[in-house]
Amino acid sequence: MAKTDPGNFFEDFRLGRTLVHATPRTVTSGDVALYTALHGPRFALFSSDAFARGCGLPGAPLDPLLVFHVVFGKSVPDISLNAVANLGYAEGRFLAPVYPGDTLAATSEVIGLKENSNGKTGVVYVRTTGTNQRGEVVLSYVRWVMVRKKDLSAKVEQKLPDLKPALDASDLIVPPGLAFSGYDHALAGSPHVFEDYVVGERIDHVDGMAVEEAEHAMATRLYQNTAKVHFNQFERSKDPSGRRLVYGGVVISTAKALSFNGLQNAGLILGINGGRHVNPYFAGATVFAWSEVLDKADLGSCGALRLRLVATKDRICEDFPVKDHAGAYPTDVILDFDYWAAVPKR
C-alpha cells in the first residue's frame, strides 16, 4: 500500500465533494514579523497594538492577506499540487479578524469542473473556508485552478458555478468594535479619507520592489504552500531558464504593500471581488503597481473603497497599462486584483 500522496488530478475531483485540509496552523507574532520582512507592508493597523487599540480593537490583527495565504496554503496539497496554474479568485469575504495565537484550519468544497479542449487538463472551482480554533469562519473565497489529468480517457461530470461579478456592500463585514473616530492620521501616514477618493481616480504607487529567489521560496514555505511549480525547476515553467514560478500570492502581497503610497489608510481588506494572475512572474523582475477607484460605499462606521490593483513587472505605471487595443493583457502586466478596503471617514 502506497504511503505517499501524489495529490489529486482533474479526474479525481467530484462536484459537491468536501475536502478537509491537513495541518491546522497557529499563527504567531513571529509569522507576522516574517510576513513584514518578506513583503514590506507598512499599514499602521497591522503594525501597532497601540494604534489598533485606538481604533477599538484589542490589538493589531493579522493582515488579511496573511490570513488568506495561510488558509490558501492548507488547500494546496488537495487542490493544486498538480496544478498548471492558479487562474483566479472571487467572492472572497473576511468575516472575522484573526490575531496572533489564533489557529487556522481550512476545508474546500468542489463547486465546478470544466475539462479543457486539449483533454489533458481541466479547471477545478472550489470554495475554501478558513476557521479559527473556536470554529468561527474567518474567511471564505472561491478560486479556480487548472489541473493536469493523469488518465486522459477519464470522464468527469462538468458544471460551471454561478459567481458574483463583485461583492455587494451589504456582503462586507466590518470587524466588531472597529471605530475610526480616534484614527491618528499622522501615525497612519496620510490625511486622505473616504471622501477624498473619487470613482475613476487612478493612483500610481510610484515605488517598485523586486522579489528575489530566496524571498519568494521562503514566503511560499511560510504559508506551507507545497505546489510543485514553486519549488521544483523540473516541473512546468514558462521561463526558458528553468526558474521556478513565483506563487501568485507573493505578487498580491508585494503589490498591496506598494499601494501604501497613496492608499495608506486603506490597508484593511474586507472582500475580494476577483483577481487574475494574467502573466507569470519570475524572481528578479521589479514589481510596480497602480490602483483605480471602481466604487465607494458608506458602511456607517467607516467607508469602503472598491479598488482595482494592477501590478506590472519592469514597467513603470505612468500610462496605467491594463489591456491592449485587442483586449489582451500585455506580457508585463502580472496581476489584476479587485477588492474592497475599509477607510476612515471625515
Side-chain angles (χ1 to χ4, degrees):
M1 182 178 178
K3 299 294 191 298
T4 56
D5 184 358
N8 289 311
F9 292 87
F10 179 71
E11 66 269 23
D12 296 322
F13 293 96
R14 296 292 181 270
L15 291 169
R17 179 184 176 189
T18 296
L19 298 157
V20 178
H21 305 306
T23 318
R25 173 79 176 276
T26 300
V27 188
T28 69
S29 57
D31 296 311
V32 174
L34 188 51
Y35 180 85
T36 302
L38 290 168
H39 304 299
R42 293 183 285 157
F43 299 101
L45 190 66
F46 315 124
S47 300
S48 166
D49 285 334
F51 188 95
R53 284 194 289 267
C55 295
L57 300 178
L62 269 61
D63 188 311
L65 286 177
L66 175 54
V67 176
F68 176 83
H69 296 325
V70 171
V71 171
F72 184 104
K74 303 295 98 196
S75 72
V76 167
D78 299 312
I79 305 297
S80 47
L81 193 65
N82 296 305
V84 176
N86 192 58
L87 300 178
Y89 315 95
E91 297 185 4
R93 301 176 68 212
F94 293 92
L95 300 168
V98 177
Y99 295 93
D102 284 344
T103 297
L104 298 174
T107 61
S108 294
E109 179 188 0
V110 181
I111 62 171
L113 294 167
K114 184 181 185 300
E115 185 170 334
N116 291 325
S117 58
N118 62 13
K120 298 178 180 179
T121 59
V123 179
V124 180
Y125 295 77
V126 297
R127 187 180 302 277
T128 298
T129 300
T131 56
N132 62 19
Q133 67 275 17
R134 295 178 294 275
E136 299 164 340
V137 178
V138 300
L139 168 64
S140 174
Y141 65 92
V142 173
R143 73 163 168 136
W144 49 103
V145 58
M146 187 186 304
V147 180
R148 297 179 181 87
K149 290 183 73 174
K150 185 175 183 180
D151 179 0
L152 300 186
S153 65
K155 302 299 180 185
V156 176
E157 180 185 2
Q158 300 184 56
K159 175 187 175 183
L160 288 176
D162 184 17
L163 300 175
K164 284 187 173 185
L167 296 171
D168 300 321
S170 59
D171 295 323
L172 307 178
I173 303 297
V174 178
L178 182 68
F180 286 147
S181 54
Y183 195 84
D184 191 322
H185 291 273
L187 293 180
S190 171
H192 300 304
V193 294
F194 178 69
E195 292 83 356
D196 297 325
Y197 292 93
V198 178
V199 174
E201 178 181 4
R202 291 184 173 184
I203 303 164
D204 183 353
H205 299 305
V206 180
D207 305 309
M209 186 184 302
V211 177
E212 304 301 341
E213 289 282 8
E215 293 169 338
H216 87 81
M218 186 176 294
T220 309
R221 284 193 290 265
L222 173 66
Y223 313 132
Q224 297 179 322
N225 179 336
T226 57
K228 298 173 184 178
V229 293
H230 306 316
F231 296 106
N232 185 343
Q233 68 266 33
F234 299 104
E235 291 293 323
R236 173 190 176 274
S237 170
K238 291 182 179 179
D239 182 35
S241 71
R243 288 183 299 172
R244 300 172 299 281
L245 183 70
V246 172
Y247 163 48
V250 170
V251 175
I252 295 173
S253 284
T254 301
K256 187 66 171 67
L258 292 171
S259 78
F260 178 85
N261 194 347
L263 288 168
Q264 292 91 331
N265 297 322
L268 181 60
I269 297 178
L270 299 177
I272 297 172
N273 299 303
R276 293 183 61 197
H277 302 290
V278 297
N279 282 297
Y281 172 73
F282 300 96
T286 299
V287 178
F288 295 92
W290 61 268
S291 294
E292 179 180 3
V293 181
L294 298 178
D295 200 358
K296 300 174 64 175
D298 190 332
L299 301 183
S301 61
C302 65
L305 299 178
R306 182 182 171 191
L307 298 164
R308 182 186 197 182
L309 176 62
V310 177
T312 62
K313 57 183 178 183
D314 292 339
R315 178 174 180 175
I316 59 174
C317 300
E318 59 184 6
D319 56 349
F320 301 111
V322 182
K323 296 182 180 180
D324 62 20
H325 64 278
Y329 288 95
T331 57
D332 47 19
V333 175
I334 53 177
L335 175 70
D336 195 347
F337 191 69
D338 180 342
Y339 69 100
W340 284 99
V343 288
K345 298 190 298 184
R346 183 166 290 119

